[in-house]
């Protein structure tokens, strides 16, 4: 077992699992769930509060120093009014919210589908109960039966304790939508969590791990707060690394007007390993194809933590993509590997911001290499890099030597958002199978539309909530462990920058023999490049199979 | 609200609901000589039906008036993509790209409970042995309950039509296929009772489900069980006077209501509980029947990138423009060799 850092403050994996009891005594006959409020806010199971300096540029309400562990959350005096007004407004604006407040029959089909419930056994992490936290307040304030009958009708007042309970559990949901797949009415807890988080944001109750990225993204163009010159410098470092390992010097361009394609990817891949190797993979691919593509320092973020804050913030951050596409005069946008980015780009972007593309030179995306029209993206004009690469491989436009990845036995983690917000299953698998000789899927109840969250989605990928992350990641880790033991899997491929950052920790904790990679890292490693030197190492500088001695 | 209180409350409510017509129709005439059959046989049923329809329309209109700002289907199969990535029929329905696909998905959802069919059960073993097994019992009981209820409803059309439509007698024949007991026992009634009992036991015995249950979950189960129970009693035990009852029910549908002689109190209890169910329906979780049709994660196609979805209240928001961004970083950008729109203004040049 690899060393688990002390700072994580988590028990050993066995210890963590041992405490888990899905029908604890607290679910006994004596107490209903409503009488278990106030909730105990546990360290390790929540993220730190947003600092007051965050999001001032975005004008978010009630900036102040506060902590969830404190008694006093320093709320505005009329906080209750603000929440109930906000609830009323959203009930009128989102059919999903109104409907999902009304039609749940509490059949419990969703209960054991949530990774946080599986790993923590906290009853309020059952999707149905997470929603009931809000529903109870809805009934009390917006239904006649609730007003008249109170608790008999499942209604309760919005008190400070209730609000704290909301907050605790709204930030223990990763908006992965797994429960919505199993709900007979399609009730989507992500919608309820999103509404709930919008309400908490009216009071200034965001977590810093979300508030900081949205603040950075708004001003510097990306979540990491990388300024333009630094962004270029970091990319230049990749250029040197690529040359070092392959002998080929790639030449990316930035903010270049007149390029055919704008490439947008999460800044996490520019910032931290192992995402950086995926970023290097993109550079290699674009260079080899001679693609007329530009990166942007202004639209240097594919991800969108606004999705975890409010629909307005999401729109404000997303708008940069079309604004930049128009300014640079590109024909279409190519999007990198990212999870929630593609939820936004698939299900929200066109609706929110397509107006900004009016008067631009954008048109239905066509691959300049194969001539393939991406008809399914003719409105938003944005193509997923895995679609793009799958099309290249299908048309034999890449020289590939998959044996260069023969030291890898690969499985694939479907990221929640492309899985359940898009249906993106075959494209990445097709690419992987063409660049690797050894691929094994995890069991069917843990992949594709039934995939499990990495445990840290929707802005919960902080460092202070490691226990929550390990608990939430348990079902995913368990499935990886299964294929590791059965097939000797040693690489976990994913198409999400947050996955690349957090699955490393999860694997270190549960299955240390397995490492994490993006797909385009493996693509670049398998590519036979024009003018490459005799390759002995991959993009990580690690020896290729059969070349272990040559370093 | 713990399970015991919930059971007492909903059980108590059912007892009261049984007692009301019993006392009113059976005891009042004896004690005070007052006859209230017209109230329970005519007024309340009419009222209940009106509340049902007005209530359902109110609910559906309220939902329908509420906008759908984003197209957010839960995609449960491969998306429509490059032409050589083939999708089978299941994927086309679980992740529809076209309207026809959506219609198919909704038909499967409404008639076959597609999503519930996916149900799995968590087996949390020792250490890291977490497994998921297929679990179709809930689906089976839900299908059994809803379809048996439908068949029972259709069979009851014999009381509201003259002559009886052909499909009612066909259903009666099929439903009594096994020809046991006298009068012939209908399987639908027995299955309905069995499915309801399963759903109730499940709610009581599975700790997680029991924990989330409210009186509003037990009450409809008790109510429908009691309705089924009184119906079965009238058919097999305390035989009801079917001719008189049909006189009453035909009176109701032809808007010439009358109260015939010889109808037992059991019938009035049955009818009153049915009236309660109708009136309760639109204001309870039972509206899921109409709500499922409007669910945005099911009734929209996954074609956002090809066809724009319009948000009627798409908010106007302040964007941090490229110009503002360049103003913040212009000098650093120039120094790094990044292209800029505006060179540094001469007045700002210090050299």
């Amino acid at each position: 077992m690899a060393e688990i850092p002390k700072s994580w403050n988590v028990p050993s994996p066995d210890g963590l699992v041992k405490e888990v009891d899905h029908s604890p005594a607290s679910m006994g006959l004596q107490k209903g769930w409503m009488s278990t409020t106030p909730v105990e806010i546990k360290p390790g199971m929540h993220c730190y509060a947003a600092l007051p300096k965050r999001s001032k540029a975005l004008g978010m309400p009630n900036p102040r120093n506060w902590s969830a562990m404190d008694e006093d959350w320093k709320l505005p005096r009329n906080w209750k009014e603000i929440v109930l007004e906000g609830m009323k407004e959203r009930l009128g604006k989102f059919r999903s919210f109104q409907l999902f407040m009304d039609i749940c029959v509490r059949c419990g089909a969703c209960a054991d589908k949530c990774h946080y419930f599986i790993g923590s056994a906290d009853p309020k992490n059952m999707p149905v109960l997470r929603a009931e936290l809000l529903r109870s307040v809805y009934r009390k304030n917006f239904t006649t039966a609730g007003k008249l009958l109170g608790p008999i009708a499942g209604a309760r007042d919005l008190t400070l304790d209730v609000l704290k309970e909301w907050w605790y559990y709204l930030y223990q949901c990763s908006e992965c939508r797994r429960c919505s797949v199993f709900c007979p009415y399609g009730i989507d807890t992500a919608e309820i969590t999103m509404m709930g988080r919008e309400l908490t944001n009216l009071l200034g109750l965001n977590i810093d791990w979300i508030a900081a990225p949205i603040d950075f993204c708004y001003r510097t163009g990306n979540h990491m707060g990388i300024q333009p010159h630094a962004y270029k410098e970091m990319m230049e470092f990749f250029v040197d690394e690529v040359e070092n390992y392959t002998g080929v010097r790639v030449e990316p361009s930035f903010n270049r007007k007149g390029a055919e394609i704008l490439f947008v990817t999460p800044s996490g891949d520019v910032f931290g390993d192992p995402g950086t190797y995926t970023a290097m993979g993109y550079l290699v691919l674009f260079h080899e194809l001679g693609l007329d593509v530009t990166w942007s320092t202004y639209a240097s973020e594919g991800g969108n933590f606004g999705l975890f804050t409010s629909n307005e913030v999401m729109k404000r951050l997303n708008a940069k993509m079309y604004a930049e596409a128009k300014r640079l005069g590109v024909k279409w946008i190519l999007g990198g590997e990212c999870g929630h980015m593609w939820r936004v780009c698939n299900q929200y972007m066109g609706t929110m911001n397509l107006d900004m593309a009016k008067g631009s030179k954008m048109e239905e995306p066509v691959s300049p290499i194969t001539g393939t029209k991406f008809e399914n993206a003719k409105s938003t004009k944005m193509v997923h890099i895995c679609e793009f690469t799958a099309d290249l491989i299908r048309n034999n436009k890449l020289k590939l030597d998959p044996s260069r990845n023969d030291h890898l036995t690969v499985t694939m983690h479907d990221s929640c958002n492309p899985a359940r917000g898009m249906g993106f299953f075959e494209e990445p698998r097709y690419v992987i199978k063409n660049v690797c000789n050894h691929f094994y899927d995890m069991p069917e109840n843990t992949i594709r539309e039934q995939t499990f969250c990495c445990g840290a989605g929707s802005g919960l990928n902080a460092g202070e909530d490691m226990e929550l992350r390990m608990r939430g990641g348990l079902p995913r880790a368990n499935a990886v462990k299964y294929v590791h033991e059965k097939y000797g899997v040693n690489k976990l491929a994913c198409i999400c920058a947050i996955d690349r950052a957090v699955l490393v920790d999860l694997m270190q904790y549960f299955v240390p023999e397995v490492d994490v990679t993006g797909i385009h890292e493996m693509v670049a490693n398998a590519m036979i490049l024009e003018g490459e030197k005799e390759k002995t190492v991959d993009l990580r500088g690690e020896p290729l199979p059969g070349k272990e001695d040559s370093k | 609200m713990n399970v015991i209180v919930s059971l007492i409350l909903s059980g108590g409510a059912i007892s009261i609901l049984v007692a009301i017509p019993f006392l009113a129709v059976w005891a009042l005439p004896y004690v005070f000589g007052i006859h209230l059959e017209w109230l329970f046989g005519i007024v309340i049923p009419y009222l209940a039906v009106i509340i049902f329809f007005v209530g359902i329309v109110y609910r559906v209109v309220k939902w329908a008036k509420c906008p759908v700002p984003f197209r957010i289907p839960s995609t449960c199969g491969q998306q429509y993509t490059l032409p050589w990535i083939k999708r089978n029929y299941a994927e086309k329905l679980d992740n529809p790209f076209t309207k026809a696909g959506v219609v198919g998905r909704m038909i499967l959802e409404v008639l076959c409970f597609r999503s519930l069919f996916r149900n799995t059960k968590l087996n949390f073993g020792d250490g890291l042995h977490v497994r998921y097994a297929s679990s179709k019992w809930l689906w089976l009981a839900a299908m059994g309950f809803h379809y048996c209820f439908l068949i029972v409803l259709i069979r009851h059309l014999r009381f509201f039509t003259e002559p009886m439509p052909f499909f009612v007698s066909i259903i009666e024949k099929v439903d009594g296929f096994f020809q046991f007991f006298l009068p012939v026992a209908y399987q639908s009634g027995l299955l309905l009772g069995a499915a309801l009992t399963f759903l109730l036991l499940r709610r009581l015995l599975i700790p997680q489900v029991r924990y989330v249950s409210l009186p509003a979950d037990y009450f409809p189960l008790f109510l429908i069980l009691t309705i089924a129970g009184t119906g079965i009693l009238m058919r097999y035990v305390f035989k009801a006077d079917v001719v008189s009852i049909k006189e009453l029910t035909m009176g109701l549908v032809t808007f010439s209501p009358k109260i015939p002689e010889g109808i037992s109190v059991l019938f009035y209890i049955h009818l009153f509980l049915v009236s309660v169910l109708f009136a309760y329906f639109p204001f309870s979780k039972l509206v899921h029947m109409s709500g499922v049709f409007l669910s945005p994660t099911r009734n929209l196609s996954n074609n956002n990138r090809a066809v724009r979805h319009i948000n009627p209240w798409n908010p106007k928001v302040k964007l941090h423009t490229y110009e503002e961004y360049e103003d913040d970083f212009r000098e650093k950008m120039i120094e790094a060799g990044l292209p800029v729109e505006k060179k540094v203004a001469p007045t700002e040049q210090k050299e």
Side-chain angles (χ1 to χ4, degrees):
Chain A
M1 280 275 149
E3 206 51 27
I4 296 157
K6 275 225 167 65
S7 62
W8 288 15
N9 229 340
V10 286
S12 71
D14 287 336
L16 186 101
V17 175
K18 208 167 271 170
E19 298 159 22
V20 173
D21 177 3
H22 291 95
S23 38
S26 64
M27 272 190 207
L29 305 178
Q30 304 80 20
K31 267 190 162 184
W33 67 265
M34 273 191 221
S35 53
T36 60
T37 315
V39 66
E40 184 199 345
I41 294 183
K42 294 180 188 157
M45 294 295 283
H46 72 276
C47 296
Y48 294 150
L51 298 175
K53 66 177 176 188
R54 308 293 188 208
S55 316
K56 275 201 175 146
L58 285 138
M60 303 298 283
N62 200 18
R64 77 228 177 273
N65 273 309
W66 69 285
S67 161
M69 303 291 286
D70 291 346
E71 189 61 35
D72 180 10
W73 282 15
K74 300 178 192 165
L75 300 173
R77 196 169 295 165
N78 60 341
W79 68 267
K80 198 170 157 179
E81 217 174 272
I82 296 175
V83 172
L84 293 177
E85 261 316 299
M87 212 166 167
K88 189 177 171 191
E89 185 194 334
R90 280 157 188 80
L91 286 164
K93 276 163 80 176
F94 293 86
R95 185 184 297 168
S96 53
F97 190 35
Q98 175 70 59
L99 194 73
F100 296 163
M101 286 292 108
D102 284 332
I103 63 170
C104 176
V105 300
R106 290 168 293 279
C107 71
C110 57
D112 58 359
K113 307 302 181 285
C114 173
H115 52 286
Y116 287 119
F117 178 65
I118 293 173
S120 76
D122 184 335
K124 285 170 196 163
N125 270 327
M126 289 189 280
V128 47
L129 209 42
R130 202 189 305 280
E132 287 287 310
L133 298 178
L134 267 79
R135 259 186 220 121
S136 53
V137 171
Y138 163 74
R139 290 189 199 107
K140 180 76 191 180
N141 292 283
F142 301 97
T143 70
T144 316
K147 279 176 198 163
L148 293 176
L149 298 173
I152 298 175
R156 60 175 182 169
D157 276 316
L158 177 61
T159 63
L160 189 57
D161 286 334
V162 168
L163 180 75
K164 288 184 176 182
E165 190 177 52
W166 275 17
W167 184 87
Y168 191 56
Y169 291 103
L170 289 171
Y171 292 90
Q172 278 188 24
C173 166
S174 58
E175 303 181 2
C176 81
R177 310 179 93 205
R178 189 169 193 266
C179 48
S180 86
V181 167
F182 295 92
C183 176
Y185 318 119
I187 296 174
D188 181 6
T189 306
E191 280 295 296
I192 290 163
T193 298
M194 285 159 79
M195 293 299 119
R197 288 193 181 184
E198 286 204 6
L199 296 175
T200 61
N201 269 294
L202 298 176
L203 304 176
L205 293 176
N206 210 347
I207 59 173
D208 204 54
W209 203 260
I210 296 174
I214 61 175
D215 178 41
F216 284 142
C217 190
Y218 193 67
R219 291 184 295 109
T220 69
N222 58 73
H223 286 160
M224 297 292 166
I226 310 167
Q227 299 190 3
H229 55 293
Y231 193 87
K232 190 174 173 230
E233 263 167 38
M234 291 162 105
M235 296 291 287
E236 275 162 359
F237 172 75
F238 296 158
V239 170
D240 292 340
E241 290 282 284
V242 168
E243 186 175 20
N244 217 353
Y245 299 140
T246 66
V248 174
R249 186 146 188 99
V250 301
E251 283 162 346
S253 63
F254 302 92
N255 305 354
R256 178 165 60 89
K257 284 191 177 175
E260 182 179 358
I261 301 166
L262 168 65
F263 182 64
V264 181
T265 202
S267 62
D269 283 345
V270 180
F271 189 77
D273 299 341
T276 49
Y277 309 118
T278 301
M280 284 152 73
Y282 300 143
L283 290 174
V284 170
L285 178 74
F286 298 159
H287 174 84
E288 186 63 16
L289 295 170
L291 206 61
D292 184 11
V293 62
T294 183
W295 300 62
S296 164
T297 61
Y298 170 63
S300 49
E301 181 58 65
N304 192 329
F305 274 31
L307 176 67
F308 314 135
T309 305
S310 72
N311 69 83
E312 284 96 355
V313 175
M314 165 167 60
K315 184 177 176 182
R316 293 171 79 176
L317 300 185
N318 174 264
K320 278 183 213 161
M321 291 196 198
Y322 282 135
E324 186 69 339
K326 185 175 176 177
R327 185 181 76 89
L328 299 178
V330 300
K331 287 187 183 161
W332 52 279
I333 305 173
L334 184 61
E337 297 176 15
C338 181
H340 76 279
M341 157 181 171
W342 274 99
R343 173 96 200 274
V344 175
C345 292
N346 184 47
Q347 296 199 325
Y348 295 98
M349 179 164 84
T351 298
M352 293 188 301
N353 285 323
L354 198 61
D355 293 331
M356 303 201 51
K358 268 183 196 150
S360 74
K361 291 190 180 141
M362 294 185 84
E363 53 189 51
E364 180 177 336
V366 179
S367 169
I369 314 296
T370 64
T372 299
K373 275 189 184 176
F374 293 96
E375 195 198 328
N376 62 335
K378 66 184 174 205
S379 169
T380 57
K381 289 127 189 136
M382 182 152 182
V383 175
H384 194 295
I385 184 117
C386 287
E387 290 172 313
F388 181 74
T389 304
D391 172 63
L392 292 172
I393 295 173
R394 175 80 178 182
N395 288 290
N396 292 317
K397 297 295 180 190
L398 295 182
K399 272 188 240 158
L400 295 168
D401 176 6
S403 73
R404 290 177 176 181
N405 285 322
D406 268 356
H407 55 312
L408 310 180
T409 306
V410 183
T411 192
M412 159 136 174
H413 162 68
D414 289 284
S415 310
C416 306
N417 284 296
R420 290 180 281 263
M422 199 169 177
F424 205 73
F425 306 125
E426 290 305 327
E427 298 88 339
R429 281 179 176 75
Y430 180 81
V431 174
I432 295 176
K433 286 175 187 169
N434 276 284
V435 300
C436 297
N437 287 320
H438 312 294
F439 175 77
Y440 299 94
D441 253 326
M442 287 179 270
E444 62 169 344
N445 288 326
T446 69
I447 55 166
R448 300 173 74 96
E449 73 276 9
Q450 299 196 27
T451 189
F452 276 109
C453 176
C454 58
S458 82
L460 305 181
N461 50 326
E464 64 269 19
D465 62 338
M466 287 310 281
E467 186 178 340
L468 177 71
R469 284 174 50 185
M470 294 305 115
R471 289 192 183 282
L474 185 145
R476 169 44 73 228
N478 177 68
V480 175
K481 196 177 167 75
Y482 178 83
V483 284
H484 166 68
E485 284 166 3
K486 193 162 181 189
Y487 306 110
V489 162
N490 58 12
K491 241 344 165 193
L492 177 58
C494 54
I495 47 170
C496 169
I498 290 179
D499 282 337
R500 282 190 281 276
V502 303
L503 286 175
V504 175
D505 294 340
L506 188 71
M507 291 301 110
Q508 186 184 344
Y509 185 71
F510 283 112
V511 208
E513 303 84 359
V514 176
D515 199 5
V516 180
T517 183
I519 290 181
H520 279 77
E521 177 188 344
M522 297 192 293
V523 170
N525 279 329
M527 281 173 67
I528 301 169
L529 307 178
E530 180 94 30
E532 69 179 14
K533 65 178 189 188
E534 198 204 335
K535 258 192 175 176
T536 56
V537 290
D538 61 16
L539 289 177
R540 299 188 185 199
E542 290 166 4
L544 292 173
K547 304 283 168 77
E548 286 84 357
D549 303 331
S550 48
K551 200 180 177 188
Chain B
M1 194 60 36
N2 70 30
V3 56
I4 297 160
V5 179
S6 295
L7 288 174
I8 293 173
L9 281 172
S10 33
I14 297 294
S15 309
I16 293 169
L17 291 176
V18 171
I20 290 170
F22 179 76
L23 292 175
V25 177
W26 181 80
L28 282 186
Y30 275 105
V31 185
F32 301 106
I34 302 170
H35 284 269
L36 287 179
E37 281 86 349
W38 56 273
L39 180 64
F40 289 87
I42 298 167
V43 178
I44 290 175
Y46 272 138
L47 272 177
V49 170
I50 292 168
I51 294 173
F52 177 81
F53 283 109
V54 172
I56 291 281
V57 168
Y58 168 78
R59 292 305 285 263
V60 172
V61 167
K62 187 172 172 192
W63 291 327
K65 272 165 85 177
C66 196
V68 182
F70 302 109
R71 197 191 274 143
I72 50 161
S74 302
T75 56
C76 303
Q78 170 62 39
Q79 69 160 351
Y80 169 81
T81 178
L82 299 159
W84 49 270
I85 293 181
K86 297 288 179 230
R87 306 197 303 153
N88 60 30
Y89 283 107
E91 287 169 317
K92 284 179 187 170
L93 292 173
D94 284 337
N95 186 356
F97 185 77
T98 60
K99 277 224 167 64
V102 170
V103 171
R105 187 181 202 187
M106 289 311 292
I107 289 174
L108 273 184
E109 200 63 87
V110 172
L111 298 184
C112 308
F113 305 173
R114 167 75 183 100
S115 294
L116 208 51
F117 191 70
R118 288 194 188 96
N119 198 23
T120 57
K121 191 179 177 314
L122 167 72
N123 293 314
F124 201 85
D126 294 335
L128 277 174
H129 290 278
V130 188
R131 297 287 180 270
Y132 315 92
S134 168
S135 168
K136 307 267 186 269
W137 289 107
L138 176 58
W139 174 83
L140 198 66
M143 289 288 280
F145 163 66
H146 284 89
Y147 276 97
C148 288
F149 206 165
L150 179 66
I151 289 169
V152 171
L153 271 178
I154 294 173
R155 276 202 280 105
H156 276 72
L157 284 181
R158 75 151 40 244
F159 293 105
F160 298 97
T161 49
E162 190 61 56
M164 206 163 73
F166 70 97
F167 58 86
V168 176
S169 46
I170 292 174
I171 280 191
E172 281 181 351
K173 282 225 177 68
V174 175
D175 202 4
F177 180 75
F178 291 105
Q179 306 238 332
F180 68 100
F181 209 79
L182 260 179
V184 170
Y186 291 130
Q187 298 132 48
S188 59
L190 301 174
L191 285 173
L192 179 66
L196 279 166
T197 309
F198 175 86
L199 292 174
L200 178 62
L201 287 177
R202 182 183 166 276
R203 203 169 269 292
L204 287 170
L205 298 179
I206 301 177
Q208 291 92 3
V209 185
R210 183 178 62 222
Y211 194 64
V212 303
S213 294
L214 296 170
D217 299 308
Y218 295 108
F219 176 74
L221 281 173
F222 288 162
L223 183 61
I224 299 169
L225 267 171
T226 317
I227 290 171
T230 49
I232 287 169
L233 279 179
M234 271 191 289
R235 182 169 166 82
Y236 304 106
V237 186
F238 307 109
K239 306 260 163 59
D241 181 348
V242 180
V243 176
S244 308
I245 289 173
K246 181 146 188 182
E247 218 176 304
L248 184 149
T249 50
M250 286 308 293
L252 287 174
V253 283
T254 53
F255 298 106
S256 45
K258 57 180 166 221
I259 300 291
E261 289 294 311
I263 296 179
S264 67
V265 68
L266 196 54
F267 171 79
Y268 285 105
I269 295 174
H270 186 72
L271 185 60
F272 182 65
L273 294 179
V274 172
S275 304
V276 170
L277 180 65
F278 268 65
Y280 176 72
F281 200 101
F283 308 102
S284 67
K285 69 170 192 174
L286 304 179
V287 279
H288 65 263
M289 181 191 82
S290 28
V292 62
F293 291 94
L294 286 97
S295 184
T297 62
R298 292 291 183 274
N299 70 4
L300 294 165
S301 41
N302 178 35
N303 60 356
N304 287 286
R305 284 196 289 157
V307 182
R308 188 183 184 198
H309 178 81
I310 298 295
N311 173 3
W313 51 262
N314 197 6
K316 280 210 161 46
V317 292
K318 166 93 182 67
L319 163 71
H320 192 64
T321 63
Y322 175 80
E323 288 69 29
E324 290 167 299
Y325 168 85
E326 196 184 291
D327 287 344
D328 289 346
F329 299 112
R330 185 169 295 109
E331 279 169 55
K332 289 171 176 168
M333 289 173 80
I334 292 171
E335 205 170 308
L338 288 165
V340 287
E341 297 273 346
K342 269 196 279 181
K343 301 294 171 205
V344 178
T347 48
E348 287 172 30
Q349 278 174 341
K350 297 276 150 62
E351 298 88 356

